[in-house]
């Protein structure tokens, strides 16, 4: 059997297994979705969202792109965030980067990647914002790993620049944004424990779209 046919065979076996071993999940599939988590990750084949946190279908709303970027002119991520916050009313948003990210590595090279360049420029901008810290790291791999983390942090801040996210944060005190890095060598997740109170206080007065961000910073 060729690899393509195998994919469809696998699907039949998976569906049957789900029906037998998790009948409640199977029955819920057709009745709608009410995920509490919105996961924004890299499209890398080694970072399958549901698998790495071992949750069944229906538990996470997922958006993935090259290098887990949250760009202000990307209708795709914009629509996903709007739908997640205003309609699904998720409780948390997670931005998950990963080690050995080809997108981040490419952005650190002085090379022309053609149509990829406008996308990768977002990561180059993150480097520029943190050039003082990054240029001070002598080891190439350590500097690259730090950029993976800083990229996640910046994308988390970008998430909070959307009005639908700001409204959700204000409406639900428990609403949270998290930054993670998945290590492809250990398959373990590192929670960056990003200090969002500091982030909100710093950028609230600039990016506040709802007149509520500064209030949030004072409340927290
Ligand atoms: Co990647």
């Amino acid at each position: 059997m060729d690899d393509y046919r195998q994919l469809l065979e696998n699907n039949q076996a998976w569906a049957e297994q789900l029906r037998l071993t998790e009948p409640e999940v199977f029955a819920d599939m057709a009745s709608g979705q009410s995920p509490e988590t919105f996961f924004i990750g890299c499209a890398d084949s080694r970072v399958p969202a549901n698998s790495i946190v071992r949750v069944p279908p229906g538990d996470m709303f997922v958006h993935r792109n090259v290098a887990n970027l949250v760009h202000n002119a990307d209708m795709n991520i914009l629509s996903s965030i709007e739908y997640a916050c205003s309609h699904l009313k998720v409780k948390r948003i997670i931005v998950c980067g990963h080690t050995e990210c080809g997108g981040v590595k490419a952005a650190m090279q002085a090379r022309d990647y053609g149509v990829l360049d406008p996308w990768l420029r977002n990561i180059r901008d993150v480097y520029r914002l943190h050039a003082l810290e990054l240029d001070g790291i002598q080891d190439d791999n350590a500097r690259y790993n730090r950029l993976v983390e800083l990229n996640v942090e910046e994308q988390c801040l970008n998430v909070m620049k959307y009005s639908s996210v700001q409204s959700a944060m204000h409406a639900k005190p428990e609403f949270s944004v998290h930054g993670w890095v998945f290590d492809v060598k250990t398959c373990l997740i590192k929670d960056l424990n990003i200090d969002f109170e500091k982030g909100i206080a710093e950028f609230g007065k600039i990016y506040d779209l709802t007149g509520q961000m500064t209030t949030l910073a004072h409340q927290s």
Side-chain angles (χ1 to χ4, degrees):
M1 187 185 296
D2 63 32
D3 291 348
Y4 171 70
R5 299 301 310 174
Q6 186 66 55
L7 295 175
L8 297 170
E9 289 268 328
N10 289 352
N11 167 254
Q12 290 182 0
W14 172 78
E16 183 63 4
Q17 187 184 19
L18 187 68
R19 188 178 68 82
L20 293 173
T21 62
E22 298 184 76
E24 288 168 15
V25 174
F26 189 84
D28 284 348
M29 291 287 275
S31 64
Q33 61 167 337
S34 53
E36 295 186 345
T37 300
F38 177 31
F39 180 100
I40 301 169
C42 183
D44 192 295
S45 59
R46 297 165 295 181
V47 197
N50 285 52
S51 301
I52 64 171
V53 288
R54 208 163 63 179
V55 294
D59 268 31
M60 284 204 307
F61 191 59
V62 174
H63 179 101
R64 293 168 68 186
N65 62 34
V66 172
N68 41 274
L69 296 180
V70 178
H71 188 260
N72 67 333
D74 176 11
M75 281 302 291
N76 195 343
I77 187 80
L78 200 154
S79 305
S80 299
I81 288 176
E82 181 66 30
Y83 191 66
C85 292
S86 302
H87 300 273
L88 294 174
K89 301 193 184 301
V90 297
K91 288 183 178 172
R92 68 190 68 86
I93 298 178
I94 295 165
V95 178
C96 182
H98 67 101
T99 60
E100 304 300 322
C101 183
V104 175
K105 268 195 174 154
M108 289 179 80
Q109 313 303 315
R111 262 191 62 184
D112 180 355
Y113 286 96
V115 75
L116 261 173
D117 282 319
W119 188 254
L120 296 178
R121 199 181 67 194
N122 296 291
I123 308 171
R124 296 183 200 276
D125 290 342
V126 174
Y127 195 108
R128 180 172 55 81
L129 277 172
H130 298 275
L132 199 63
E133 176 187 347
L134 290 165
D135 288 344
I137 303 173
Q138 297 305 311
D139 180 67
D140 285 348
N141 210 44
R143 189 167 63 252
Y144 153 71
N145 282 332
R146 182 62 183 142
L147 181 56
V148 167
E149 292 184 356
L150 290 169
N151 182 47
V152 166
E153 190 172 325
E154 286 299 329
Q155 304 318 314
C156 286
L157 294 177
N158 285 343
V159 162
M160 293 196 290
K161 292 171 189 169
Y162 286 98
S163 63
S164 53
V165 174
Q166 292 181 10
S167 295
M169 291 174 81
H170 193 255
K172 286 179 285 189
E174 74 276 17
F175 187 93
S176 55
V177 181
H178 307 272
W180 288 357
V181 173
F182 176 77
D183 188 326
V184 296
K185 289 199 178 93
T186 64
C187 291
L188 292 173
I189 291 163
K190 177 182 179 183
D191 186 345
L192 298 180
N193 291 314
I194 296 167
D195 186 353
F196 289 111
E197 290 176 25
K198 182 166 162 271
I200 291 170
E202 278 177 4
F203 80 48
K205 61 182 181 291
I206 302 168
Y207 296 105
D208 193 346
L209 305 175
T210 56
Q212 296 162 342
M213 292 294 276
T214 317
T215 317
L216 278 171
H218 287 310
Q219 282 173 350
S220 52

